[in-house]
Amino acid sequence: MAHPPAKIRLHVRDPLGLDAEVALARDQAHYLATVMRREAGESVRLFNGRDGEWLAEIVEAGRKGVRVRCVEVLATQTEPPDLWLLFAPIKKARTDFIAEKACEMGCRRLIPVFTRFTNAERVNRARLEAHAIEAAEQCGLLSVPEVEEPVSLERLLADWPSERRLLFCDESGAGVPAVSALTTAGAGPWAVLIGPEGGFAPEERTRLSALNAAVAVSLGPRILRADTAAVAALTLFQATLGDWR
Ligand code: SAH
């Protein structure tokens, strides 16, 4: 049966360029050859976060694995706006959702943050990264956001880069509307901070209000779940200062 031309996009780590050959990782080879039944001569699209997007021809798809060769550049490398998402890890499936959605929404970096009321004890960084990669493959992104090791809120704020604005999503309702905060402060590097199901502790609010780069914002009169709040805040950023304009 004939397959549609190069619908499949794969993220790889190897360098890409004209005639560059890539041996696909075992899981990707399995997906392509066994699950999708692609054969030598058919095409895929590749990106690695550095060299744009390439059309690549399958040179070999067999028991020894799958090798592909870049034949044509389809897009030059671009980056999403300089936006980070800092989020307190919540339940596993909802944390996975956050990683996937943050990638679709166009973040450069995801940083899991342990706050006082964070319930989750561990974060599986590799798992979050796998979700981000899958989302990037699906939504046409040319890079995958970096997924950082989890850090405590205290540490994060102690080392905060002063030029990066922090949109502190404050469920108390005391903050200014998020859109006014964004448009008032204007373009530049930004980060969004979303708390855990238990919200922020009083001393965390105090610490945040002492940080010059931080602005406490409201996402409306209803308390949103953390995963919803993350998508909502990222939407407002992209629509006001980001790449939705
Ligand atoms: N348990 C808390 C709610 C936490 S909601 C309470 O009942 O008050 C999880 C996170 O989502 C919050 O820490 C905040 O970062 C974000 N959030 C949810 N609703 C919000 C809103 N209306 N405005 C700003 N941030 C909100």
Side-chain angles (χ1 to χ4, degrees):
M1 193 179 71
H3 291 292
K7 276 276 169 65
I8 298 175
R9 291 183 88 234
L10 297 173
H11 174 262
V12 296
R13 311 226 178 243
D14 310 62
L16 302 175
L18 192 61
D19 292 332
E21 283 206 8
V22 176
L24 295 184
R26 187 191 283 260
D27 54 338
Q28 288 179 328
H30 172 78
Y31 170 73
L32 202 68
T34 313
V35 180
M36 302 305 289
R37 300 186 173 280
R38 294 300 199 263
E39 294 166 357
E42 293 187 281
S43 305
V44 291
R45 297 162 179 236
L46 303 180
F47 66 104
N48 63 3
R50 303 182 302 274
D51 303 321
E53 176 160 342
W54 285 80
L55 185 70
E57 188 181 292
I58 302 175
V59 207
E60 185 187 328
R63 242 170 294 137
K64 279 194 259 157
V66 174
R67 275 188 312 117
V68 301
R69 182 171 52 233
C70 296
V71 293
E72 186 192 338
V73 68
L74 298 173
T76 50
Q77 187 65 37
T78 52
E79 301 299 329
D82 190 357
L83 175 63
W84 298 355
L85 175 65
L86 325 175
F87 64 99
I90 45 178
K91 287 193 195 90
K92 214 199 250 175
R94 288 184 185 272
T95 305
D96 292 348
F97 177 95
I98 290 180
E100 182 184 293
K101 299 309 162 203
C103 177
E104 287 175 38
M105 292 300 303
C107 285
R108 285 204 196 169
R109 243 175 152 185
L110 310 184
I111 311 180
V113 181
F114 284 106
T115 64
R116 171 136 168 245
F117 297 145
T118 300
N119 285 326
E121 272 154 31
R122 288 184 308 119
V123 179
N124 186 337
R125 204 179 73 85
R127 184 187 155 105
L128 291 185
E129 191 168 47
H131 280 281
I133 289 174
E134 204 180 313
E137 288 175 343
Q138 298 235 346
C139 71
L141 264 166
L142 293 177
S143 53
V144 176
E146 290 171 56
V147 182
E148 302 293 329
E149 288 295 341
V151 58
S152 71
L153 183 64
E154 211 180 322
R155 262 276 312 280
L156 186 79
L157 297 184
D159 298 336
W160 190 255
S162 57
E163 75 289 355
R164 184 172 295 273
R165 303 238 165 216
L166 181 57
L167 196 77
F168 159 39
C169 296
D170 179 2
E171 72 276 0
S172 76
V176 295
V179 167
S180 5
L182 287 162
T183 49
T184 304
W190 275 89
V192 165
L193 171 64
I194 302 289
E197 281 158 12
F200 289 96
E203 71 271 18
E204 291 172 334
R205 291 170 191 289
T206 310
R207 180 70 188 81
L208 280 157
S209 62
L211 189 74
N212 267 334
V215 48
V217 300
S218 158
L219 297 172
R222 291 167 293 280
I223 300 284
L224 308 174
R225 297 194 79 136
D227 46 349
T228 317
V231 177
L234 297 174
T235 303
L236 296 180
F237 175 86
Q238 295 298 19
T240 52
L241 303 178
D243 58 12
W244 284 19
R245 287 172 294 163

